[in-house]
């Protein structure tokens, strides 16, 4: 049986906005900061949302040695140093699709 894979997606706009805050805390040795979003969502939820926006149907095949499993990162330090994300995962996916594949977005 397939298992859900969860991750904290982060939008490119949030990365760009947070770089300054992260650079202000640069040090030697370098602090290790996980770059992930503030919302945890499953890959299956993201695929379902993409399907709803595009009208396409995704087919996912899980193999015995699948590397599908994602990791939920601890983003506490990133939020302390650079602030929270402003783009929700749904808004991020919708804007990325609209920017890169405008002919696929049906809404």
């Amino acid at each position: 049986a397939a298992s859900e894979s969860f991750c904290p997606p982060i939008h490119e706009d949030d990365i760009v906005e947070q770089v300054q805050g992260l650079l202000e805390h640069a040090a030697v040795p370098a602090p290790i900061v996980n770059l992930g979003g503030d919302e945890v969502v499953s890959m299956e939820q993201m695929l379902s949302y993409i399907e709803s926006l595009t009208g396409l149907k995704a087919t996912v095949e899980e193999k015995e040695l699948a590397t599908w499993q994602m990791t939920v990162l601890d983003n506490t330090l990133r939020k302390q140093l650079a602030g929270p994300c402003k783009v929700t995962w749904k808004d991020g996916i919708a804007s990325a699709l609209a920017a890169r594949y405008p002919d696929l977005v049906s809404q």
Side-chain angles (χ1 to χ4, degrees), residues 4-103:
E4 287 190 298
S5 301
F6 292 91
C7 66
I10 186 167
H11 190 268
E12 60 193 343
D13 290 351
D14 284 321
I15 294 171
V16 169
E17 184 169 314
Q18 294 173 10
V19 164
Q20 185 62 41
L22 295 174
L23 289 174
E24 289 172 3
H25 293 89
V28 175
I32 305 299
V33 180
N34 290 324
L35 192 57
D38 295 343
E39 300 173 284
V40 174
V41 62
S42 73
M43 292 300 295
E44 293 75 13
Q45 287 173 296
M46 287 192 283
L47 283 174
S48 176
Y49 185 61
I50 291 168
E51 289 174 336
S52 75
L53 293 176
T54 64
L56 298 173
K57 177 68 178 147
T59 301
V60 177
E61 246 183 77
E62 188 173 311
K63 300 291 185 177
E64 184 179 340
L65 299 174
T67 58
W68 184 249
Q69 295 299 316
M70 303 293 287
T71 302
V72 176
L73 305 170
D74 180 355
N75 61 14
T76 305
L77 183 57
R78 188 221 11 108
K79 287 196 286 189
Q80 289 173 354
L81 300 180
C85 290
K86 295 180 180 175
V87 181
T88 67
W89 72 267
K90 282 187 172 183
D91 288 346
I93 286 176
S95 69
L97 284 173
R100 291 169 180 84
Y101 304 100
D103 55 324

